[in-house]
Amino acid sequence: MAFWRRNTHIEKERRVKANAWDYNDKFSYADNRIKTSKYNILTFLPINFFEQFQRVANAYFLVLSILQLIPEISSLSWFTTIVPLVLVLVITAVKDATDDYFRHKSDQQVNNRQSQVLLRGSLQNEKWMNVRVGDIIKLENNQFVAADILLLCSSEPYGLCYIETAELDGETNLKVRQALTVTSGLGDITKLMNFDGEVVCEPPNNKLDKFTGTLYWGGNKYPLDNDKMLLRGCVLRNTEWCFGMVIFAGLQTKLMQNSGRTTFKRTSIDKLMNTLVLWIFASLICMGVILAIGNTIWESCIGRNFQVFLPWEGFQSSAVFSGFLTFWSYIIILNTVVPISLYVSVEVLRLGHSYFINWDGKMYHSQTDTAAEARTTTLTEELGQVEFIFSDKTGTLTQNIMLFSKCSINGQTYGEVYNEFDEKVEITEKTACVDFSFNPLCDRKFKFYDGSLVEAIKLEDPTVQEFFRLLALCHTVMPEEKSEGNLVYQAQSPDEGALVTAARNFGFVFRARTPETITLYEMGQAVTYQLLAILDFNNVRKRMSVIVRNPQGKIKLYSKGADTIIFELLDSSSEALMHTTSEHLSEFAGEGLRTLALAYKDVDEDYFAVWTKRLLFASTVIENREDQLAVLYEEIEQGLKLLGATAIEDKLQEGVPETIACLNRANIKIWVLTGDKLETAMNIGYSCNMLRDDMNEVFIISGYTLLEVQQQLRSAKEHILGVSRVISAGDVQMKDVTADDVFEETLIAEYALVINGHSLTHALEPQLEHVLLDVACLCKTVICCRVTPMQKAQVVELVKRHKKAVTLAIGDGANDVSMIKTAHIGVGISGQEGMQAVLASDYSFAQFRYLQRLLLVHGRWSYFRMCNFLYYFFYKNFAFTLVHFWYGFFCGFSAQTVYDQWFITLFNIVYTSLPVLAMGLFDQDVNDQNSLRYPSLYKPGQQNLLFNKCQFFLCTVQGVCTSFLLFFIPYGAFSVMVKEDGSHLSDQQAFAVTIATSLVIVVSVQIGLDKHYWTAVNHLLTWGSLTVYFAILFAMQSDGIFGVFPRNFPFIGTARNCLSEKSVWLVILLTTVVCVVPGLVVRFLRADLFPTLTDKVRHLQQSRKRDRPQEKNLRRVRRTSSRRSAYAFSHQQGYGELITSGKNMRTSIVSSACSPERTPNSWIENVLKRKNEVSCVSDKSTEAPESDKRAKQTPE
């Protein structure tokens, strides 16, 4: 819809009536046409150019181009600025047009899809864009859903249908949707035509997992939730047909509401470049003012004496006005100090660096056929500056593949293996598994090692049977039996799948379900339970319950959830068992297992009847429906009897401890933000070597009030820094600790901070957040547990706001999306929890261990290349442009140019663009193996050492000096130089060619010296560009082209005459040597006398290409703790309401150490020996000196 017709009314609620177009049209709801394209044929040029000229650089060059059209102030032809500007505008416009063309094609393809709409008593094919709110449409198997529709009925029993939501959240597993019972019978066209129900619901929004509404039909009202809705973008699967009523259409569908722009992330290099460009603009104005003043003085004192043959123009009334015109003339001439090609080149480099990430075979995961993907091209160099990593635990550090490991039933633990001496035996791959052959429906992949649990099942222990009965009943798993006995469980979380599979193998097989029943095979006998209610899991309740009626007619409530929650709901009769089970939970926690407590109760028939009526009323309320349901759920869950607890193992991913250790040595701080319980998070920390027994102190912040949290944080800071470093107790704001003090403290001792979710809520308050940040930054390891997705984002935002550091967030689930979007860089892991994190991320791959390669190799290289590129780019443009400034003092400040105008036009886009791009794309100081072997090489990026304001100042000085030499050496030589025949060689054109040639050679030699890594492409582009310069030079100053364009190519024969003189080449050689040698000497002495770690590693790399350092693996530390483990549950709400509210079922190592070996004797080696030769991977290792000595004693 056009913007001038867009409805600005804010919709507070939506009313939609079926088959009532006149009624629905009153509300002016959006039609179903979508438009994601930005332009059309008429608007493309004006809108695109308007957008491009919103960039300051483009607007600046446009103004310069306009100024060049004024002959009174322009000494350059229009094409010197117009050609580069037009080139940039055209390239950008073509890119934008191509992108928008594909958007147009996509829009057209989607809008023209066919849908069957119920019109005038029959189904008619209509284009999607013609579908309106209130229409009843028919979907068939494998069709996309045209709009957000309320499911009315389907071909499946009880109004069931299956959908795939890959376009919404990236998940390919099927989800079930359920029609209301009262509408599930509307499968006949006549009934659908007579359907006149009205839906009152929430206004359009972007919440994919939530819908609240009520259907009014036949004098009754029925509650609607998200499980009754089919959203646009979903695909109907395994369902022959279904009918639905359109609620939201077009741009108001939830899919389109979620298609807003992601926040644009800018790198620190971008911000620095903007500042530097402003500085350059300021210096450009200063130079223009200086030269304008010089022109005014010259015209006043000297110029007026030459008016006989150099008369002033008619408009030039005074010397001051002449200076004013000269100011603008020099602004035009000197504008190349900030070339427009800089911005294009930076984008090309970032695109190339992104492709290198995509093409890296060492970040490819063959098991899942997943390659690394750079989903953005704007952040590559930022990867080389990361100081803080915020990581999820489950699925990120761990595999998120859950295995039923142990359990506690009625005070007895199961899962350990003992030998004949009653000693505990470690379980390995060779340990014999329990034989489940007694159960024909068992899962052959399931492994368990404690045979006593099977014996207890066979002895029909009632508590053990009730334990597994609960696991088989209390869940929202969907069964699918592909063939007789071949069961496949579709679980919303890996935890639930593991528990139901365990029950299946121990003889309680979840076989089938309908919306009202659950069928189990208990020890081979089919038993059907009537499903009365599901009290679903959410992040507040942290538990789920089911209420069923068993074959004996008794009503049972089965519940599973976090032990802290379940224990609060227990009956007093379970107190003794609770203490015993709590001890078992502590044992499980020592191994980092995820736990759930299990409990049940008998429900009185009369009480349940009353409770059901209250539940039905609460489920139809629009306002605060969830709160009222939560109160009812908690009421009926009181007085539970404890059965026991389960323990699920979530194994670490391959290479996680080594990766974390490597990143720590790169001075990257890793904070773990997890929804798991404190004890499990800590034990995973020990497994990852983030927490160690030799740490000085592990501070646990678990206060429930603001005052308690404040006191605990203050105590921790006092312990680390000493009481004298903290001010009075009444002041929450702590003294700032200098970087040197913090560095010294962290060298002396190592600390860790573990903080709980409820404590973090208080710690993030404005009056405490500074204290939290101070303590956390003084600790080597930070673990935040029991945190919500919003708290994850708040922690990231806290560090971003108060620390000048680059942050990276990595996760694999929907609960990680908020922190991924908040951090400077977001990384998604394609794991077991869908693709939401990947879709929201900037970079994605399959395993956490690839993070070290992303940062230490690609990130460091990208930062190194970008910094070298910028340094060289600014240097060559200062050297190129400032020659005009020096020349101004010798040409009467007349704004005459030194170079030929075509040279000015082509210098940045032809002569020097490709070599600097090649350096920015392919250069590397050390190879990838050494980048990983010596993580400390990453630190310069964190400290922003390679390109900053100081480096910019140095490159400016170098460029100014080079321009000075480029001008004055030829100037001095030409004043005394003659040709071989004795004639003078002092014309301006020969002078210009000499300086231009010297400039191109100097910058080409300089880039050759600046490169650390030569490839065939580098050679071709560097020396090829130099060859192209001479080819174009002789072509453009030839007789032939002058004959065709005499006005545009005035330098006829200059190159031929000038460059044929030996003295000219001697001047060029002298200029090149004088410009290059000083910088070469400084670099040589700096590398030999004050070598950086990079210099040392490059020296070793060059001298030891054949011998690789000896590697040793990190020793993995295991921890046994008495701390409690976490509950094992999904982070998202389940399908409980869906199952009970309708008929929902068919009836059927990179870390290594090295010791440098003996290298050939040289004076360079002797200098390096005095300056701390490269040590092993851990720069602070005490073993390094000994290994160095041993290496030097070993002959080659």
Side-chain angles (χ1 to χ4, degrees):
M1 186 179 292
F3 70 89
W4 56 83
R5 292 162 48 198
R6 190 169 295 157
N7 185 8
T8 58
H9 173 69
I10 299 177
E11 193 175 339
K12 295 184 178 179
E13 71 173 10
R14 171 154 296 206
R15 291 180 171 272
V16 181
K17 200 169 185 179
N19 299 317
W21 299 279
D22 294 337
Y23 176 81
N24 296 325
D25 287 344
K26 294 189 303 183
F27 302 101
S28 301
Y29 295 139
D31 59 25
N32 206 36
R33 182 192 302 271
I34 65 165
K35 181 178 181 292
T36 61
S37 58
K38 296 169 61 177
Y39 318 107
N40 57 41
I41 295 177
L42 297 178
T43 63
F44 173 72
L45 287 178
I47 293 179
N48 185 262
F49 283 164
F50 175 76
E51 291 176 342
Q52 291 204 56
F53 285 119
Q54 284 182 315
R55 300 171 187 165
V56 176
N58 289 351
Y60 167 73
F61 284 103
L62 177 64
V63 171
L64 287 178
S65 301
I66 295 173
L67 291 176
Q68 283 183 286
L69 299 177
I70 304 174
E72 289 77 15
I73 64 174
S74 179
S75 57
L76 287 176
S77 298
W78 56 269
F79 54 77
T80 57
T81 302
I82 286 290
V83 170
L85 177 61
V86 169
L87 186 64
V88 170
L89 294 177
V90 168
I91 291 174
T92 306
V94 169
K95 172 182 172 294
D96 292 342
T98 304
D99 292 344
D100 205 59
Y101 170 73
F102 288 112
R103 283 194 291 265
H104 266 289
K105 287 189 66 175
S106 176
D107 290 347
Q108 191 174 24
Q109 179 185 4
V110 171
N111 288 330
N112 290 329
R113 285 176 180 170
Q114 296 292 313
S115 182
Q116 298 182 65
V117 183
L118 193 59
L119 296 173
R120 295 178 290 277
S122 63
L123 287 171
Q124 300 181 17
N125 285 331
E126 283 285 346
K127 294 180 179 179
W128 274 25
M129 58 182 169
N130 297 328
V131 172
R132 295 184 293 177
V133 171
D135 284 348
I136 293 178
I137 63 176
K138 180 182 180 181
L139 297 174
E140 295 182 345
N141 193 32
N142 296 327
Q143 279 189 347
F144 279 95
V145 181
D148 291 354
I149 66 174
L150 170 66
L151 180 62
L152 297 177
C153 58
S154 75
S155 59
E156 302 302 304
Y158 315 113
L160 168 75
C161 75
Y162 295 91
I163 58 170
E164 181 184 286
T165 60
E167 283 204 10
L168 293 178
D169 55 20
E171 296 184 16
T172 56
N173 58 308
L174 297 186
K175 298 179 176 61
V176 66
R177 292 293 183 263
Q178 176 74 45
L180 287 169
T181 305
V182 294
T183 64
S184 60
L186 299 176
D188 183 75
I189 298 295
T190 304
K191 293 180 181 179
L192 289 168
M193 281 300 301
N194 294 329
F195 177 66
D196 60 352
E198 182 178 6
V199 173
V200 179
C201 66
E202 63 189 15
N205 59 71
N206 61 358
K207 298 176 181 177
L208 294 173
D209 58 349
K210 186 178 180 181
F211 178 82
T212 302
T214 303
L215 172 65
Y216 295 87
W217 184 42
N220 296 316
K221 59 180 183 179
Y222 307 93
L224 302 176
D225 56 26
N226 200 51
D227 296 325
K228 311 292 187 299
M229 297 292 296
L230 306 184
L231 302 184
R232 181 186 181 117
C234 299
V235 181
L236 191 67
R237 299 292 192 197
N238 297 348
T239 307
E240 188 177 343
W241 55 261
C242 73
F243 283 93
M245 170 183 168
V246 177
I247 305 298
F248 302 119
L251 297 176
Q252 293 181 340
T253 59
K254 291 182 182 287
L255 174 65
M256 299 306 297
Q257 292 280 309
N258 274 279
S259 61
R261 294 181 180 179
T262 303
T263 303
F264 180 70
K265 297 181 177 181
R266 296 172 58 206
T267 67
S268 57
I269 291 287
D270 283 330
K271 298 172 184 176
L272 177 61
M273 278 176 55
N274 289 339
T275 302
L276 298 182
V277 167
L278 291 177
W279 287 7
I280 293 172
F281 286 161
S283 64
L284 177 61
I285 293 173
C286 291
M287 288 189 292
V289 170
I290 292 171
L291 294 170
I293 294 173
N295 177 265
T296 301
I297 296 173
W298 191 89
E299 290 287 355
S300 300
C301 301
I302 303 174
R304 63 177 64 254
N305 300 326
F306 294 89
Q307 288 192 28
V308 175
F309 59 94
L310 287 176
W312 282 355
E313 300 290 343
F315 59 85
Q316 192 169 347
S317 57
S318 67
V320 174
F321 187 69
S322 174
F324 173 76
L325 297 179
T326 301
F327 169 79
W328 293 107
S329 298
Y330 273 111
I331 291 296
I332 294 171
I333 292 174
L334 300 175
N335 77 82
T336 51
V337 74
V338 185
I340 194 171
S341 58
L342 170 65
Y343 297 92
V344 178
S345 301
V346 167
E347 294 305 318
V348 171
L349 291 185
R350 288 172 173 167
L351 181 64
H353 297 165
S354 300
Y355 276 113
F356 292 155
I357 294 173
N358 296 344
W359 295 337
D360 190 347
K362 295 181 180 179
M363 296 172 68
Y364 170 75
H365 193 240
S366 57
Q367 287 89 336
T368 57
D369 191 26
T370 304
E373 180 182 6
R375 302 175 59 83
T376 181
T377 60
T378 60
L379 302 174
T380 49
E381 72 271 12
E382 197 94 315
L383 290 170
Q385 299 179 276
V386 173
E387 288 189 53
F388 289 88
I389 292 177
F390 301 91
S391 174
D392 179 39
K393 182 187 75 68
T394 305
T396 303
L397 301 178
T398 60
Q399 298 179 21
N400 203 18
I401 299 175
M402 308 301 176
L403 303 174
F404 184 85
S405 178
K406 297 178 182 180
C407 62
S408 170
I409 306 176
N410 198 25
Q412 174 68 40
T413 60
Y414 299 92
E416 301 286 0
V417 177
Y418 297 89
N419 58 19
E420 61 272 16
F421 305 106
D422 204 27
E423 297 173 341
K424 187 182 297 185
V425 178
E426 183 179 357
I427 296 175
T428 65
E429 294 182 358
K430 297 181 179 180
T431 305
C433 298
V434 171
D435 182 12
F436 291 105
S437 59
F438 71 92
N439 181 4
L441 294 175
C442 69
D443 184 348
R444 305 296 178 188
K445 299 177 182 178
F446 180 83
K447 293 183 179 180
F448 198 75
Y449 301 93
D450 186 357
S452 62
L453 187 55
V454 175
E455 295 300 321
I457 283 287
K458 292 180 178 179
L459 294 174
E460 299 183 357
D461 185 318
T463 307
V464 174
Q465 290 190 336
E466 193 74 352
F467 180 91
F468 285 109
R469 185 177 291 114
L470 185 153
L471 293 181
L473 291 171
C474 186
H475 55 78
T476 56
V477 173
M478 305 297 176
E480 184 178 355
E481 193 161 359
K482 296 186 176 180
S483 61
E484 182 64 28
N486 183 16
L487 281 170
V488 176
Y489 291 142
Q490 297 286 343
Q492 65 167 327
S493 74
D495 305 87
E496 281 210 322
L499 294 175
V500 176
T501 300
R504 168 185 175 180
N505 275 60
F506 284 101
F508 287 76
V509 183
F510 170 54
R511 191 72 179 268
R513 75 154 83 234
T514 71
E516 291 136 357
T517 63
I518 295 178
T519 301
L520 305 183
Y521 270 61
E522 298 182 358
M523 304 305 292
Q525 300 296 318
V527 180
T528 299
Y529 294 83
Q530 183 182 354
L531 182 58
L532 302 177
I534 290 184
L535 317 184
D536 208 354
F537 169 86
N538 61 39
N539 282 324
V540 177
R541 285 169 40 77
K542 295 182 175 62
R543 64 187 181 278
M544 78 161 292
S545 303
V546 295
I547 303 176
V548 298
R549 190 188 302 274
N550 64 19
Q552 291 75 35
K554 293 182 179 180
I555 299 178
K556 295 265 192 178
L557 183 147
Y558 294 103
S559 185
K560 67 180 181 183
D563 55 303
T564 53
I565 302 297
I566 295 295
F567 288 173
E568 292 176 359
L569 302 173
L570 292 179
D571 186 74
S572 58
S573 61
S574 296
E575 184 173 352
L577 180 58
M578 181 185 72
H579 292 301
T580 304
T581 305
S582 181
E583 293 176 1
H584 295 162
L585 287 169
S586 298
E587 295 176 9
F588 299 154
E591 302 169 38
L593 301 179
R594 296 159 60 89
T595 64
L596 288 174
L598 311 184
Y600 78 102
K601 68 177 288 189
D602 295 315
V603 181
D604 180 73
E605 188 82 40
D606 296 333
Y607 169 76
F608 180 73
V610 175
W611 182 86
T612 303
K613 292 179 181 179
R614 295 166 60 198
L615 178 68
L616 180 61
F617 174 78
S619 64
T620 59
V621 174
I622 297 293
E623 297 291 334
N624 299 321
R625 179 187 297 179
E626 294 180 358
D627 294 338
Q628 295 190 35
L629 290 175
V631 171
L632 283 173
Y633 290 170
E634 186 165 354
E635 177 187 311
I636 200 171
E637 288 171 332
Q638 296 292 332
L640 299 177
K641 296 180 180 179
L642 185 62
L643 278 173
T646 60
I648 294 176
E649 181 180 9
D650 186 9
K651 293 185 177 179
L652 283 178
Q653 290 185 15
E654 179 185 348
V656 167
E658 293 81 1
T659 299
I660 290 175
C662 188
L663 294 175
N664 280 333
R665 288 195 299 277
N667 198 35
I668 298 175
K669 300 176 179 64
I670 302 178
W671 294 16
V672 175
L673 312 178
T674 177
D676 273 339
K677 199 176 171 184
L678 183 145
E679 289 79 11
T680 294
M682 288 186 65
N683 281 284
I684 291 295
Y686 280 108
S687 300
C688 297
N689 289 337
M690 294 179 66
L691 299 177
R692 301 191 311 277
D693 289 325
D694 60 354
M695 279 186 161
N696 294 70
E697 189 72 38
V698 177
F699 301 107
I700 299 177
I701 311 299
S702 57
Y704 284 88
T705 66
L706 183 68
L707 191 61
E708 290 177 356
V709 174
Q710 176 181 330
Q711 184 57 44
Q712 290 176 349
L713 287 172
R714 287 178 57 80
S715 299
K717 190 167 186 179
E718 288 176 6
H719 186 90
I720 297 174
L721 300 180
V723 180
S724 61
R725 303 279 293 278
V726 183
I727 60 177
S728 62
D731 191 350
V732 182
Q733 300 292 337
M734 299 297 176
K735 286 183 177 178
D736 291 330
V737 181
T738 65
D740 290 339
D741 290 337
V742 174
F743 183 68
E744 290 170 3
E745 292 290 341
T746 53
L747 279 179
I748 295 171
E750 289 186 353
Y751 301 95
L753 176 69
V754 181
I755 184 167
N756 222 325
H758 51 75
S759 303
L760 186 62
T761 303
H762 298 301
L764 290 172
E765 293 290 333
Q767 62 267 38
L768 275 186
E769 61 179 15
H770 289 282
V771 189
L772 170 66
L773 190 60
D774 287 345
V775 175
C777 291
L778 289 170
C779 294
K780 186 177 180 66
T781 297
V782 177
I783 298 177
C784 303
C785 52
R786 287 283 210 237
V787 294
T788 65
M790 184 56 65
Q791 285 178 319
K792 292 183 178 183
Q794 289 172 340
V795 172
V796 176
E797 181 61 35
L798 177 66
V799 175
K800 278 183 63 179
R801 193 167 62 247
H802 296 292
K803 291 287 180 181
K804 294 181 180 179
V806 177
T807 59
L808 180 147
I810 180 170
D812 73 318
N815 58 318
D816 303 316
V817 169
S818 55
M819 76 169 179
I820 285 174
K821 288 186 174 181
T822 303
H824 291 99
I825 302 169
V827 177
I829 290 184
S830 51
Q832 304 294 319
E833 293 190 22
M835 298 287 288
Q836 299 97 320
V838 171
L839 296 175
S841 67
D842 303 305
Y843 300 90
S844 65
F845 40 72
Q847 294 280 291
F848 180 84
R849 68 178 185 270
Y850 297 145
L851 183 61
Q852 65 176 330
R853 187 168 181 84
L854 180 71
L855 299 184
L856 303 187
V857 177
H858 292 287
R860 202 185 70 82
W861 277 352
S862 295
Y863 174 72
F864 166 78
R865 290 163 176 168
M866 185 64 72
C867 291
N868 281 1
F869 164 82
L870 291 174
Y871 187 99
Y872 177 78
F873 207 100
F874 282 121
Y875 155 75
K876 75 180 181 67
N877 280 283
F878 286 134
F880 163 59
T881 305
L882 295 183
V883 170
H884 293 296
F885 180 79
W886 309 119
Y887 185 55
F889 292 89
F890 296 89
C891 66
F893 305 96
S894 61
Q896 183 182 8
T897 59
V898 178
Y899 312 113
D900 172 25
Q901 295 184 12
W902 284 106
F903 179 82
I904 295 174
T905 304
L906 299 177
F907 178 77
N908 274 311
I909 61 177
V910 175
Y911 299 150
T912 60
S913 60
L914 294 181
V916 71
L917 281 176
M919 181 178 72
L921 284 173
F922 304 113
D923 200 21
Q924 55 180 256
D925 50 353
V926 299
N927 58 30
D928 56 341
Q929 292 93 341
N930 282 326
S931 295
L932 295 171
R933 187 172 291 118
Y934 305 103
S936 293
L937 292 171
Y938 190 80
K939 294 178 182 179
Q942 297 171 327
Q943 300 164 9
N944 204 21
L945 296 180
L946 299 188
F947 191 78
N948 48 40
K949 293 174 183 177
C950 179
Q951 291 294 317
F952 174 75
F953 175 76
L954 292 177
C955 87
T956 302
V957 171
Q958 185 180 1
V960 170
C961 293
T962 301
S963 69
F964 183 87
L965 297 171
L966 281 170
F967 177 79
F968 282 102
I969 291 177
Y971 179 81
F974 267 63
S975 64
V976 298
M977 192 168 63
V978 294
K979 293 184 180 180
E980 292 181 1
D981 59 3
S983 60
H984 286 287
L985 187 67
S986 57
D987 63 283
Q988 191 270 338
Q989 292 184 348
F991 183 63
V993 170
T994 302
I995 293 181
T997 304
S998 300
L999 172 65
V1000 173
I1001 293 176
V1002 165
V1003 297
S1004 297
V1005 172
Q1006 190 66 52
I1007 199 171
L1009 295 174
D1010 286 342
K1011 286 182 181 177
H1012 300 79
Y1013 181 69
W1014 282 91
T1015 64
V1017 175
N1018 282 335
H1019 280 292
L1020 175 64
L1021 296 182
T1022 301
W1023 313 124
S1025 293
L1026 198 57
T1027 304
V1028 168
Y1029 162 73
F1030 285 107
I1032 294 177
L1033 176 68
F1034 282 99
M1036 294 177 62
Q1037 299 185 8
S1038 64
D1039 299 341
I1041 199 167
F1042 175 78
V1044 180
F1045 305 103
R1047 297 184 61 183
N1048 294 326
F1049 298 94
F1051 278 43
I1052 178 174
T1054 303
R1056 183 174 62 252
N1057 295 330
C1058 175
L1059 297 180
S1060 62
E1061 295 293 327
K1062 297 177 182 177
S1063 57
V1064 172
W1065 282 106
L1066 184 61
V1067 171
I1068 294 173
L1069 177 62
L1070 176 64
T1071 305
T1072 303
V1073 171
V1074 173
C1075 288
V1076 170
V1077 167
L1080 187 62
V1081 171
V1082 170
R1083 184 181 310 169
F1084 183 76
L1085 293 176
R1086 184 176 57 192
D1088 286 343
L1089 300 178
F1090 308 101
T1092 63
L1093 180 61
T1094 304
D1095 296 327
K1096 298 173 186 177
V1097 174
R1098 289 189 69 241
H1099 174 71
L1100 289 176
Q1101 179 177 304
Q1102 293 168 0
S1103 60
R1104 298 171 189 170
K1105 290 182 179 179
R1106 292 175 298 177
D1107 300 325
R1108 291 178 176 251
Q1110 181 181 1
E1111 298 183 357
K1112 68 177 182 179
N1113 295 326
L1114 287 173
R1115 180 174 59 90
R1116 180 168 175 174
V1117 179
R1118 298 292 296 185
R1119 165 84 172 181
T1120 301
S1121 167
S1122 61
R1123 299 179 178 88
R1124 198 63 73 69
S1125 178
Y1127 65 94
F1129 245 128
S1130 168
H1131 285 289
Q1132 56 184 324
Q1133 189 161 337
Y1135 297 130
E1137 292 186 14
L1138 168 65
I1139 294 174
T1140 57
S1141 60
K1143 320 305 193 229
N1144 74 326
M1145 267 298 120
R1146 295 175 182 268
T1147 51
S1148 61
I1149 316 182
V1150 290
S1151 178
S1152 63
C1154 65
S1155 55
E1157 298 176 5
R1158 178 74 175 166
T1159 57
N1161 286 323
S1162 68
W1163 71 274
I1164 297 177
E1165 182 186 13
N1166 294 331
V1167 173
L1168 289 175
K1169 196 184 304 178
R1170 296 195 303 270
K1171 293 293 181 180
N1172 299 323
E1173 283 202 87
V1174 180
S1175 63
C1176 62
V1177 175
S1178 178
D1179 300 320
K1180 301 171 187 174
S1181 173
T1182 56
E1183 298 177 3
E1186 287 80 354
S1187 63
D1188 287 347
K1189 293 176 183 177
R1190 287 194 301 270
K1192 291 176 182 177
Q1193 293 170 359
T1194 305
E1196 291 189 331

